[in-house]
Amino acid sequence: GNSVTQMEGPVTLSEEAFLTINCTYTATGYPSLFWYVQYPGEGLQLLLKATKADDKGSNKGFEATYRKETTSFHLEKGSVQVSDSAVYFCALSVRVAQKLVFGQGTRLTINP
Amino acid sequence: KAGVTQTPRYLIKTRGQQVTLSCSPISGHRSVSWYQQTPGQGLQFLFEYFSETQRNKGNFPGRFSGRQFSNSRSEMNVSTLELGDSALYLCASSRTSGGATDTQYFGPGTRLTVL
């Protein structure tokens, strides 16, 4: 079946540090890949997406590249801010099935 | 453009009761999906509706049901509530159904507590 595995959290960094959150997937066919972010008390917000191999999604300084050979979609940011503190979810969807399969989420805390 | 709205935001019920949650999608979106979020199981897909028809269903008991109206608004119902149904219920809308490139946009969720 289809599944997503994220690095275990929580992750705690200092402001301006480099961020990497690992995400790998297993899927039949050719999935689209997403990163969503959830701030305390809120729903999910789409952070970025990539729909085919070698695509790079980017938004608000975050980037992730769809790597088919390693079945990965790691999230990176060069310099994190306190406001980036949230829970990050990696997810995939496959064609003909409009449903998202999520990883377990990674809680990120940025200290000033 | 207004986002996905969900009502109510918070609900407290007791075991055995039933509950109905409502979701209004983004204007022009015809697909509505529901997800359950719990600390133990994470985010799990419940079902998806498109043009008033259920297109996909997750692995949940029959106590969980839903429907979609002609204006694309959707409701989900949980009957005979159990303590384990306490969760954040998220609704997401997208323009179409079955298109993996189509993005789902989420509402703020309804926090259900079962006592």
Side-chain angles (χ1 to χ4, degrees):
Chain A
N2 301 319
S3 66
V4 175
T5 302
Q6 288 180 236
M7 65 184 286
E8 296 268 341
V11 174
T12 302
L13 296 172
S14 298
E15 204 166 22
E16 299 184 2
F18 184 84
L19 168 71
T20 299
I21 301 178
N22 290 338
C23 171
T24 57
Y25 67 89
T26 301
T28 54
Y30 301 96
S32 292
L33 301 173
F34 305 83
W35 276 100
Y36 283 86
V37 58
Q38 186 174 34
Y39 297 100
E42 299 184 12
L44 301 177
Q45 296 179 23
L46 177 69
L47 184 57
L48 52 84
K49 71 176 186 180
T51 58
K52 61 182 188 295
D54 299 324
D55 268 2
K56 177 187 280 189
S58 61
N59 186 27
K60 298 180 182 179
F62 291 90
E63 293 183 340
T65 301
Y66 188 138
R67 301 284 188 202
K68 185 182 173 187
E69 63 276 12
T70 54
T71 62
S72 65
F73 193 55
H74 304 322
L75 182 68
E76 296 182 337
K77 186 175 185 183
S79 177
V80 293
Q81 306 300 313
V82 172
S83 57
D84 293 327
S85 297
V87 181
Y88 292 80
F89 292 92
C90 184
L92 66 81
S93 69
V94 296
R95 299 186 190 282
V96 308
Q98 184 74 336
K99 76 173 195 180
L100 288 164
V101 176
F102 288 91
Q104 66 268 43
T106 302
R107 182 175 299 278
L108 173 67
T109 301
I110 307 299
N111 294 320
Chain B
K1 198 176 198 181
V4 178
T5 58
Q6 293 187 244
T7 56
R9 293 292 310 277
Y10 302 91
L11 266 178
I12 300 175
K13 294 286 187 179
T14 56
R15 280 181 299 174
Q17 287 187 310
Q18 74 165 17
V19 66
T20 299
L21 313 182
S22 180
C23 172
S24 292
I26 292 170
S27 177
H29 285 195
R30 297 170 62 194
S31 171
V32 173
S33 298
W34 290 88
Y35 295 83
Q36 181 196 63
Q37 184 178 22
T38 60
Q41 299 299 316
L43 280 154
Q44 294 185 287
F45 173 77
L46 279 157
F47 29 65
E48 184 229 350
Y49 287 86
F50 180 78
S51 292
E52 302 177 65
T53 302
Q54 187 180 87
R55 295 288 297 268
N56 291 291
K57 189 176 191 304
N59 189 25
F60 279 82
R63 300 186 297 106
F64 291 81
S65 63
R67 59 178 175 168
Q68 186 180 34
F69 302 95
S70 58
N71 62 358
S72 294
R73 190 177 69 85
S74 177
E75 291 180 346
M76 67 164 282
N77 184 278
V78 188
S79 62
T80 319
L81 284 166
E82 300 177 358
L83 295 179
D85 297 333
S86 295
L88 180 66
Y89 290 88
L90 293 164
C91 167
S93 77
S94 60
R95 287 191 181 280
T96 62
S97 174
T101 60
D102 199 6
T103 300
Q104 293 188 41
Y105 296 91
F106 284 79
T110 293
R111 171 75 63 186
L112 172 64
T113 302
V114 182
L115 302 176

